[in-house]
Amino acid sequence: MARSEVVVDLAALRHNVALLAGLAPGAETMAVVKADGYGHGAVEVARAALEAGATWLGSCSTQEALALRAAGIRAPILAWLDAPDEDLAAGIAADVDLSVSSLSDLRRVEEAAEEADARPRLHLKIDTGLSRNGCQPHDWPELVEAAKKHEVVAVWSHLACADEIGHPSVDLQAKRFDDAYDVARSHGLAPKRHLANSAALLTRPDLHFDIVRPGIAMYGLNPVQTDHDLRPVMSFRSHVALTKRIPAGESVSYGMTWTAGEDTTLALVPAGYADGVPRALSGRMEVLLNGKRRPVVGRVCMDQIVVDCGNDEVREGAEVVLFGDGRRGEPTATEWAELTGTIDYEIVCGMYRPRVRRIFT
């Protein structure tokens, strides 16, 4: 085993994608693989998602989309947020669909299309209330009119609070989205529509429209805590590098924040905050070791953590599961997120580290 490993279960991912696509049988499925597949590996995840029934891929940037193309993936890809100096011409030449939120966006795409000598495929984004990128409603008719000479594939937007079931903003955003679509239709366009993220896919079938965009749910992490059979795809494991017996009264790690109340066996694990273990978990986390959950004692260090094993015998080299799918009783990425006051998206996205080996099963 490497110092520490992220294990990506592609069978679980295929299961999740098939389940999610099945919940929206009237829509196509855009598997969101931005940010290196939420830390899981964009190319491998994209291939598995397409095998399981996804028909589109979603990336943040054109560069992310081009990496998929370089790996031989030919499925439709949407890239939706680029820096002003991004090479859009390369994306257009590679048949990457581009999102447009303003007239200045459109001008950049048109210039890139001339450079690429190719026709751009556009997804026009309307800001329905998230107030990130997306065209404001008062500018929307002008953008639609200017864009209609190109191939407008879709009108789309993104929901702010779909993970809060019953939140009134969802219906408000849906109404604004409908209004924007009506404007596009009135200008002679017949675009597809896509609005539903993971949460809306799971809870709002009325918002599935033509394409759904599962992100976090595809990776087995449920943003709305429904009872769907989603299976976490990522696990994080290391091994015992050293064991030692210490007497009562001895302390552990920087600051000596934990002191043994009785003689105990400690297991040293070579994974720390440089490997993705949040320092905020100091004194709060557990791991699975020899079939039991055991506390990590003392502060999380840059390179290591220390596990209290009591009077149990533990061998050097034994597997240590820091988080997984929970089926063996081990902690999960969601548990880490709850303990540190964040979301599990951040946990898994942060697990791609130079000295952490990523393997696929």
Side-chain angles (χ1 to χ4, degrees):
M1 185 183 292
R3 178 186 187 91
S4 53
E5 294 179 335
V6 162
V7 183
V8 178
D9 183 351
L10 294 178
L13 186 128
R14 292 187 191 94
H15 164 85
N16 296 335
V17 172
L19 184 154
L20 294 163
L23 293 175
E28 298 181 75
T29 299
M30 180 184 293
V32 179
V33 295
K34 64 177 180 174
D36 196 29
Y38 288 48
H40 293 68
V43 170
E44 293 82 0
V45 163
R47 288 176 177 149
L50 293 168
E51 291 168 2
T55 51
W56 284 78
L57 299 172
S59 65
C60 178
S61 68
T62 298
Q63 284 301 310
E64 289 181 339
L66 288 173
L68 298 172
R69 287 284 186 254
I73 295 171
R74 307 311 310 165
I77 305 173
L78 171 62
W80 54 67
L81 180 60
D82 283 301
D85 60 350
E86 187 63 67
D87 184 5
L88 301 182
I92 294 169
D95 295 323
V96 174
D97 290 19
L98 299 176
S99 178
V100 169
S101 295
S102 66
L103 287 173
S104 60
D105 272 358
L106 182 60
R107 284 193 292 270
R108 288 174 52 228
V109 171
E110 289 173 337
E111 291 169 0
E114 288 184 13
E115 181 184 342
D117 192 23
R119 190 181 185 196
R121 289 167 47 92
L122 308 180
H123 294 232
L124 303 184
K125 187 173 186 184
I126 177 71
D127 182 1
T128 55
L130 187 60
S131 298
R132 300 193 311 190
N133 66 332
C135 184
Q136 286 285 76
H138 55 76
D139 295 324
W140 181 251
E142 186 179 11
L143 177 60
V144 170
E145 179 62 27
K148 72 178 187 180
K149 62 185 176 183
H150 304 291
E151 183 179 0
V152 177
V153 177
V155 169
W156 75 295
S157 192
H158 195 48
L159 296 167
C161 300
D163 55 347
E164 300 179 44
I165 297 175
H167 196 286
S169 69
V170 178
D171 287 336
L172 174 61
Q173 287 193 258
K175 174 62 168 59
R176 291 173 174 175
F177 186 69
D178 286 342
D179 292 343
Y181 179 70
D182 289 343
V183 170
R185 295 280 292 178
S186 73
H187 282 72
L189 297 177
K192 297 177 184 290
R193 294 170 290 169
H194 52 99
L195 179 64
N197 55 7
S198 289
L201 194 166
L202 292 167
T203 64
R204 292 294 299 261
D206 57 314
L207 303 183
H208 288 171
F209 299 124
D210 302 299
I211 304 172
V212 293
R213 303 190 309 266
I216 195 67
M218 191 172 83
Y219 303 98
L221 303 174
N222 193 332
V224 286
Q225 300 306 306
T226 60
D227 59 358
H228 294 92
D229 180 26
L230 295 172
R231 301 175 186 174
V233 173
M234 180 186 289
S235 58
F236 181 35
R237 68 189 186 188
S238 185
H239 59 275
V240 175
L242 174 74
T243 63
K244 63 174 60 178
R245 191 78 177 162
I246 65 168
E250 289 295 315
S251 300
V252 172
S253 196
Y254 293 123
M256 295 185 170
T257 58
W258 183 86
T259 300
E262 56 188 23
D263 296 357
T264 192
T265 297
L266 301 178
L268 184 69
V269 180
Y273 57 77
D275 308 288
V277 184
R279 191 172 182 273
L281 285 177
S282 297
R284 308 168 74 185
M285 68 178 291
E286 296 178 330
V287 299
L288 186 72
L289 172 56
N290 281 6
K292 292 172 60 175
R293 282 181 68 132
R294 303 175 191 273
V296 172
V297 294
R299 289 181 181 161
V300 173
C301 303
M302 184 183 296
D303 311 306
Q304 53 204 289
I305 55 176
V306 178
V307 181
D308 180 15
C309 299
N311 292 317
D312 292 345
E313 291 188 12
V314 177
R315 64 175 177 83
E316 294 178 3
E319 181 185 72
V320 178
V321 181
L322 288 90
F323 70 73
D325 61 18
R327 286 184 294 179
R328 293 184 289 168
E330 75 271 31
T332 63
T334 301
E335 180 178 326
W336 275 25
E338 291 170 349
L339 287 170
T340 56
T342 187
I343 54 177
D344 43 25
Y345 303 62
E346 182 180 2
I347 299 298
V348 294
C349 284
M351 291 311 304
Y352 187 47
R353 307 280 176 139
R355 66 185 186 186
V356 177
R357 181 169 67 181
R358 185 165 61 193
I359 63 174
F360 300 89
T361 64

